[in-house]
Amino acid sequence: MKRLFLLLPLVALAGCKDPQDGVKVVISYGQFVPGCVRVTATDDASGDTRTTDVAVRGKKPEPNSQIVVGVLLPEKWGTAITVEANGYEALPKDDACVGNAVTNQRKGLSVPKGSTKDGKPAELTLLADARDEDGDGYVSDDFGGSDCEDAAGVGAGINPGAAELCNDRDDNCDGNKDEDFAIGSACVSPEGCASVRTCNTSDPTTFACIAPVVTYAWVDMDRDQHGDMTKEKVPVCGTTLPPDRLSLSFPNDDCDDTEASVHPGAVEICNNRDDNCVGGKDEGFNVGSTCTDPLYQCANSAVQCNFADGGTLCQPPTTVPTWYPDEDGDKYGKADAGVLFCPQPDGGYVDAGGDCNDGNRFTYANATELCDEQDNNCNGVDDINDNACPGGSPTWAPTPVNVPNGFPTIPDGGVPDWRAVSLYGNGGAWVVGSQSARAVKVPGTPSFEPIPEACTGQQGSSRELYSVWAMPNGTAYVGGDFSVLSVQMPGSLDCNYKRFFNNEDSHITTGFFNLATDGSVRLAAVASRNNGANGATFEWNGTLPQPPVISETAQPDIALSAVHGVLPDVIFAVGGAGNDAARILRRTATDATWTTMATPSGAKTLFAVHVANPKLAYAVGKNGTLLQWNGPGTSWIAHPSPPGVTENFTGVLSFGANSIYITTEAGNIYRFNGTLPWAKTAIGASLYGITGTSPGDIWVVGRFNTILHYPVLPQ
């Protein structure tokens, strides 16, 4: 047996200098271990009491033990006292026993004055015992306690101080079973099924919500009879499966449970999905490989799915080049007419827009502004305000020929009629005309210098010269009467000449064009023969000295007047037939033959032709005849002449469809800039030849020593 010693605050049984009298109270208990014991001492004489409450079970003593309480008696008490011990089931609250006492024993004793002086106080034994069969510290309610179940082996854990469990018992003896668990109320099971609460047999501190019947199935949201392979089996309440659940006897192999058309065994189509759950998305369709799309012809297009039919299409790149039509050949096209295409559509399209006038190859965005009455750089500012005309507004200005004492080569001492002009270098020019007159303007000089003599050895000291072509170094090739071609350098009195035909006095050479593209000379020329009844085309390889290599082709019934071109296969010769009808020949580059082209009805004899670019040419002639050619595969058509004009057109120059210049026998210069009316400048002398490098550098020649430049040349 063990004792639990408890010294009360009012106890001082030993160790004091003058100890008071006291009693040592020994309280025994058996199977029932009190939660709290109250010890009360009473002075029989005065009835005065002293009480103390002692916690017992909270200190975890063993059954069948004792507690010892020392009671110090006040000095005024008598010697006869009574001590009472009451046992309580509950643990003390705020250091005081609570509830009803279930045990009680009191005894009286005599405590003589000074009996404690020797340190041996009077001793009293009391019993605090009650029936506690299950040993839980609570006495059966059948014996005045509060334990509703005290049977050994059954009542353990059942008493007022116990926690209520879910076990179909009244654990805390409050008269209710499982009152904290709402047993029988509605609940939802972990599987999501409706049920009612029951006790959790594996954990009585909680309740359970158990579904009556649960069936497990695969998820099949798209209802294609293939379970979602990404999900485990799921519970279903009851035995009947909903439409989006599938029996475990079916396969669980669907790689996309949102599409009923996707599952093993489905037909794979190109739709950015793995329809058959094999091999990934769109296998077999080569998605992403390069191709050439049919619309824009982009070779860097990519194969992509055609969601409309499940096949593939060739998708062009995000950025497709824009090509702009370039009618005038200046490498800039009309911005409002661009087309999307990967390859350059043809030679008539370029990759730069910004051309405000696609009929003039010297007009485009940021071009050099010329003194030509046109907005070349497309900035909306006229020539004067754009500082392009230092000499003022542009005019047709005469250019002098230095002839102090008459013109030496004119037998009658008069002035020549100039028939043709050709440019060379940077500012150089040749002019030729009547009675073998020739003059040259060397680059950098302000005027022309005449050549004083006819070519040595030339038959006839004076003949009409109708054509001239100059190489970049200034070497001039001059043609005229008697089928003679002269070759002369600037500043030289000597010239080499060639006779093209044997018939000396019946041929007139009237046109030249250089076929060579490598800087050498290979001339094509035309002639009028037999007083204009016939004509001829011929070519010369430029060989000097004799014998020349000449290829001649007679053109019966065609009097040819001029030849011009830009490429070996874009060369035209023009003239007229005996009935005054227009005639045009085109040279075929492959076999060097000339083929007659159709001309519009009513077109009269032609005197001049100019090819602006490989897709545009103009020819002019009698009675205001103006014809236009618009490139390979097209025929010559009539172009509207200046309204009401029936003059004989003698020369034509073009830099595009909106930049046309025409000279006339009546002495007028007409200019078309894309909008009507045509501009007219009256010169007063017949004009025969026109050429130029740009709309800001144009030369015109004619009768009475007329040489004009547009605009005024800088001094």
Side-chain angles (χ1 to χ4, degrees):
M1 177 182 294
K2 293 183 178 180
R3 289 184 175 181
L4 179 63
F5 291 95
L6 301 174
L7 298 179
L8 304 180
L10 64 162
V11 174
L13 300 180
C16 295
K17 180 177 179 182
D18 294 314
Q20 290 178 275
D21 294 326
V23 179
K24 176 182 178 183
V25 181
V26 178
I27 303 170
S28 299
Y29 55 86
Q31 180 67 21
F32 170 66
V33 179
C36 183
V37 173
R38 176 171 290 168
V39 179
T40 303
T42 303
D43 179 16
D44 291 347
S46 64
D48 188 18
T49 63
R50 294 288 187 269
T51 301
T52 184
D53 291 347
V54 180
V56 180
R57 195 166 64 246
K59 300 189 180 297
K60 299 181 180 179
E62 295 181 357
N64 302 309
S65 189
Q66 298 174 334
I67 64 173
V68 177
V69 179
V71 179
L72 182 64
L73 304 179
E75 292 183 0
K76 65 181 180 178
W77 278 18
T79 59
I81 64 172
T82 299
V83 180
E84 181 180 9
N86 289 293
Y88 295 83
E89 297 172 311
L91 295 174
K93 184 176 182 181
D94 297 330
D95 298 327
C97 294
V98 295
N100 298 321
V102 294
T103 66
N104 176 266
Q105 189 178 28
R106 58 190 299 175
K107 290 182 179 181
L109 77 162
S110 176
V111 182
K113 296 293 184 177
S115 60
T116 310
K117 187 175 183 181
D118 58 0
K120 294 180 180 180
E123 184 173 324
L124 180 66
T125 299
L126 296 175
L127 183 63
D129 197 13
R131 187 169 179 174
D132 182 13
E133 296 293 336
D134 55 11
D136 59 2
Y138 289 85
V139 177
S140 172
D141 55 6
D142 292 334
F143 298 99
S146 60
D147 196 344
C148 57
E149 179 58 72
D150 196 45
V154 177
I158 299 176
N159 55 67
E164 186 69 14
L165 301 177
C166 193
N167 54 11
D168 197 31
R169 295 190 316 194
D170 181 13
D171 300 282
N172 59 8
C173 296
D174 65 351
N176 299 304
K177 294 181 180 180
D178 310 326
E179 65 272 13
D180 295 332
F181 299 95
I183 300 303
S185 63
C187 64
V188 178
S189 73
E191 299 84 4
C193 302
S195 185
V196 294
R197 290 189 180 192
T198 61
C199 287
N200 188 346
T201 57
S202 62
D203 183 3
T205 63
T206 62
F207 70 89
C209 189
I210 302 173
V213 178
V214 177
T215 303
Y216 283 86
W218 301 124
V219 175
D220 184 20
M221 297 303 296
D222 57 11
R223 306 180 187 185
D224 60 2
Q225 303 300 296
H226 290 263
D228 188 340
M229 65 188 299
T230 67
K231 293 182 174 62
E232 299 293 333
K233 60 185 178 181
V234 296
V236 175
C237 303
T239 58
T240 302
L241 299 180
D244 57 359
R245 296 295 182 263
L246 192 65
S247 171
L248 296 180
S249 62
F250 284 82
N252 185 40
D253 55 4
D254 197 340
C255 59
D256 185 352
D257 201 38
T258 64
E259 294 288 343
S261 61
V262 176
H263 55 76
V267 176
E268 185 74 13
I269 61 176
C270 198
N271 55 6
N272 200 31
R273 292 199 304 253
D274 184 9
D275 301 282
N276 58 12
C277 297
V278 176
K281 297 178 181 179
D282 308 322
E283 72 272 11
F285 289 97
N286 297 319
V287 173
S289 60
T290 57
C291 58
T292 299
D293 77 282
L295 179 60
Y296 302 119
Q297 293 294 300
C298 299
N300 61 335
S301 299
V303 175
Q304 294 187 9
C305 291
N306 185 348
F307 295 101
D309 60 13
T312 60
L313 52 79
C314 189
Q315 183 68 35
T318 303
T319 302
V320 176
T322 300
W323 300 94
Y324 304 91
D326 179 22
E327 296 295 336
D328 56 16
D330 59 8
K331 306 304 181 184
Y332 289 83
K334 292 182 288 187
D336 60 351
V339 296
L340 296 175
F341 214 60
C342 274
Q344 186 173 359
D346 59 42
Y349 284 81
V350 294
D351 59 1
D355 198 335
C356 60
N357 183 354
D358 201 36
N360 183 343
R361 72 174 185 267
F362 290 92
T363 299
Y364 51 86
N366 300 316
T368 300
E369 187 66 26
L370 304 175
C371 185
D372 61 354
E373 301 175 75
Q374 299 187 61
D375 182 14
N376 304 97
N377 58 14
C378 297
N379 66 354
V381 180
D382 62 32
D383 293 345
I384 301 299
N385 291 311
D386 220 357
N387 301 315
C389 296
S393 298
T395 60
W396 291 92
T399 302
V401 178
N402 287 331
V403 188
N405 299 309
F407 205 92
T409 59
I410 302 300
D412 59 11
V415 294
D417 296 334
W418 298 115
R419 298 286 185 177
V421 56
S422 180
L423 309 181
Y424 74 92
N426 184 17
W430 276 90
V431 291
V432 299
S434 60
Q435 302 184 60
S436 295
R438 305 179 310 286
V440 61
K441 177 184 176 298
V442 177
T445 61
S447 59
F448 284 84
E449 296 292 336
I451 305 297
E453 300 292 342
C455 286
T456 303
Q458 176 180 315
Q459 180 173 345
S461 60
S462 177
R463 65 187 180 95
E464 295 296 308
L465 304 178
Y466 294 104
S467 58
V468 61
W469 174 78
M471 290 185 66
N473 65 0
T475 302
Y477 294 79
V478 182
D481 285 345
F482 312 124
S483 67
V484 172
L485 171 66
S486 301
V487 183
Q488 189 163 17
M489 290 288 292
S492 173
L493 299 180
D494 296 328
C495 62
N496 291 292
Y497 70 92
K498 304 296 177 188
R499 185 177 297 282
F500 276 53
F501 310 117
N502 293 326
N503 216 341
E504 295 181 355
D505 53 3
S506 59
H507 307 111
I508 302 175
T509 303
T510 55
F512 293 116
F513 179 74
N514 188 24
L515 296 169
T517 59
D518 58 0
S520 61
V521 177
R522 183 184 170 203
L523 294 180
V526 295
S528 173
R529 308 174 64 188
N530 301 325
N531 296 319
N534 298 298
T537 57
F538 53 91
E539 297 180 15
W540 175 54
N541 68 351
T543 302
L544 289 173
Q546 293 193 34
V549 178
I550 299 174
S551 172
E552 175 191 354
T553 303
Q555 304 293 342
D557 301 321
I558 302 178
L560 296 173
S561 303
V563 61
H564 191 256
V566 293
L567 296 171
D569 60 346
V570 187
I571 301 176
F572 300 102
V574 299
N579 60 357
D580 219 15
R583 290 290 184 268
I584 300 179
L585 304 180
R586 180 176 180 179
R587 183 180 184 277
T588 303
T590 54
D591 56 6
T593 61
W594 294 81
T595 303
T596 300
M597 300 185 72
T599 56
S601 175
K604 299 299 182 179
T605 295
L606 301 171
F607 296 134
V609 61
H610 185 262
V611 182
N613 58 58
K615 295 172 60 177
L616 182 67
Y618 294 96
V620 296
K622 283 186 177 181
N623 297 342
T625 296
L626 173 58
L627 306 182
Q628 178 177 334
W629 176 78
N630 293 313
T634 66
S635 300
W636 286 84
I637 60 175
H639 186 286
S641 297
V645 175
T646 59
E647 304 173 36
N648 291 335
F649 292 164
T650 57
V652 61
L653 174 67
S654 172
F655 301 107
N658 296 336
S659 183
I660 308 171
Y661 299 82
I662 296 175
T663 58
T664 75
E665 190 175 38
N668 295 314
I669 301 173
Y670 291 95
R671 183 187 70 187
F672 179 69
N673 64 359
T675 59
L676 294 175
W678 288 62
K680 175 183 175 181
T681 301
I683 301 302
S686 296
L687 305 176
Y688 301 123
I690 183 171
T691 190
T693 61
S694 76
D697 180 29
I698 301 176
W699 293 90
V700 170
V701 296
R703 295 200 68 187
F704 310 126
N705 196 27
T706 298
I707 302 177
L708 304 175
H709 184 267
Y710 180 88
V712 177
L713 287 173
Q715 298 300 316

